[in-house]
Amino acid sequence: MKKIKIWTFLGLGLLSVGLLSACSSNASSTKKEDKVTTVTVATSAASVPYEYSENGKMTGFEYDILKQADKDLKNYNFNFKVYDDSAILVALDGGRAQIAANNFGKTKARAEKYLFSYPVRQGIDAIFSKSSAPITKISQLAGKTTEIPAGTNYGDMFETWNKNHPKQKITVKYSQRPLADRLEAVSSGQIDFLFASKAAAENLVNQHAISGLVDSIPSDLNQKPEFKTYDYFVLDNSQSQLQKDLNAELKKLYDNGTLKKLSEKYFHDQHLPDADQYQ
C-alpha cells in the first residue's frame, strides 16, 4: 500500500513538472512569436501627394502604402514622426528613425550609406520651362541652365549626362532653395528649366500661383533612359531584415493591385515600375 502511494505521488509529481514545463515552453514560444518591433518612420507633412496632412490627418501615396504594410506586417508597429524635409535623413543618421519616406530617389552617395526598398513608383517627371520658350525634349536641354539641391538623384542624372555627352552639356547650379522658389526662378528667367516630379511641381505652381510656366513629359524619354527615375523608401543600413520584410510586402501590394489603386487615386494614372523591379 505504501509503495502504491509512493509511486502515485511520484507519478503526479512528474506529471506536474511536465505540465509546468509544457506551459513554460508554450508561454516562451507565444512570447517570442508575439514580439513586436517598433519602427519609426521619418516623413514629411507637406509633400503632396506623397505624404501630407489634410484636415489634421496624415494621408498620401507613400503614407498609405506604409499604413497598409503596418497592418500586414504583424511583427512590426510603424510609428510615424513628422520632420522638416532637410531633417528626415538626419533622423535616420541619428538612429531616431529606421525608415525615411519623402519621395526619395536613389543616388550613388545614398546607396553607399543606406538601404533601399523596392521602388514604389516610376517617377513621372516633366521639364518645366517658360511658356514663351517651351522645352519638350531632353535633347533641347544642351546649353541650358537648371538649379537643383546637392545630393539628389537629379544631380547624379545630370552629371552622368554631361560625362557621356561632353558636347551637349547642361549647366547645373546647386542650391538649397525650395522647389517653389526654383520654379519662380524659371518663371522670372533666372534659370532655363527644371526637371522635376510633374505632380509635386504642378501642385506648387498652383499653390503659389506661379505664372508663365509650362511643363512637358519629354517626348524622347524612352531614348534617354538615364533620365528615368524611381521613388523608394530609405532604410537605416542596419535594417536588413526590415528591408527584406518590407520588400516582400511591397511585392505583394504590387501583385494584388494595391499599388495600382493607390497610384490611380493620388496621380490619376498608373505610375508603376515594371514587374522585374520586384525581384
Side-chain angles (χ1 to χ4, degrees):
M1 188 70 176
K2 289 182 179 179
K3 287 183 178 180
I4 293 173
K5 286 183 178 179
I6 291 171
W7 283 112
T8 301
F9 176 77
L10 288 172
L12 288 172
L14 289 171
L15 179 62
S16 298
V17 170
L19 287 172
L20 287 171
S21 176
C23 289
S24 176
S25 176
N26 288 338
S28 176
S29 175
T30 301
K31 186 176 181 181
K32 185 176 181 180
E33 290 174 1
D34 291 343
K35 183 180 179 181
V36 175
T37 300
T38 297
V39 173
T40 298
V41 179
T43 188
S44 168
S47 184
V48 180
Y50 301 96
E51 39 270 316
Y52 60 99
S53 178
E54 185 174 71
N55 299 322
K57 291 182 64 177
M58 285 292 292
T59 186
F61 174 67
E62 292 183 340
Y63 179 81
D64 283 3
I65 291 172
L66 288 174
K67 286 297 289 184
Q68 185 61 52
D70 185 26
K71 181 179 178 181
D72 293 344
L73 297 174
K74 303 301 183 183
N75 290 340
Y76 296 98
N77 176 40
F78 286 10
N79 176 38
F80 294 83
K81 189 170 182 180
V82 171
Y83 289 89
D84 290 337
D85 288 358
S86 61
I88 291 176
L89 289 178
V90 175
L92 220 59
D93 296 339
R96 296 185 295 279
Q98 291 73 51
I99 297 177
N102 189 31
N103 183 28
F104 284 111
K106 186 183 291 187
T107 67
K108 294 175 184 176
R110 287 175 183 169
E112 292 174 357
K113 190 175 183 180
Y114 306 110
L115 300 177
F116 283 78
S117 71
Y118 286 151
V120 295
R121 174 179 173 269
Q122 180 173 326
I124 304 301
D125 297 300
I127 300 171
F128 287 76
S129 56
K130 292 191 72 168
S131 53
S132 59
I135 301 173
T136 60
K137 296 180 180 181
I138 293 168
S139 58
Q140 294 175 299
L141 300 179
K144 301 289 194 301
T145 300
T146 190
E147 181 182 322
I148 57 173
T152 67
N153 56 320
Y154 294 120
D156 280 5
M157 178 192 302
F158 291 128
E159 287 178 12
T160 300
W161 174 267
N162 287 341
K163 180 180 178 180
N164 295 336
H165 302 84
K167 295 182 179 180
Q168 296 177 291
K169 285 189 175 182
I170 298 164
T171 301
V172 181
K173 296 179 179 179
Y174 291 95
S175 81
Q176 293 304 314
R177 289 202 287 182
L179 179 55
D181 290 352
R182 287 180 281 126
L183 288 165
E184 289 277 12
V186 176
S187 176
S188 65
Q190 296 175 41
I191 55 178
D192 298 316
F193 76 94
L194 286 179
F195 190 76
S197 166
K198 181 176 173 65
E202 282 182 344
N203 177 71
L204 290 171
V205 167
N206 294 329
Q207 183 181 340
H208 294 270
I210 302 171
S211 61
L213 291 184
V214 64
D215 63 272
S216 301
I217 296 175
S219 58
D220 56 351
L221 182 62
N222 286 333
Q223 289 75 52
K224 316 291 184 186
E226 60 264 57
F227 276 79
K228 288 188 176 182
T229 62
Y230 298 91
D231 299 334
Y232 306 84
F233 297 122
V234 184
L235 292 81
D236 177 85
N237 62 10
S238 67
Q239 299 297 322
S240 56
Q241 185 61 50
L242 175 59
Q243 178 196 38
K244 180 180 178 180
D245 294 338
L246 180 59
N247 279 344
E249 172 68 9
L250 293 177
K251 184 180 187 309
K252 186 187 86 172
L253 297 179
Y254 180 88
D255 290 341
N256 68 19
T258 299
L259 290 187
K260 176 184 174 182
K261 290 178 182 178
L262 290 175
S263 180
E264 290 173 340
K265 175 181 178 180
Y266 287 102
F267 300 101
H268 311 293
D269 205 343
Q270 297 177 28
H271 298 175
L272 298 181
D274 292 332
D276 61 6
Q277 296 286 330
Y278 295 87
Q279 295 176 356

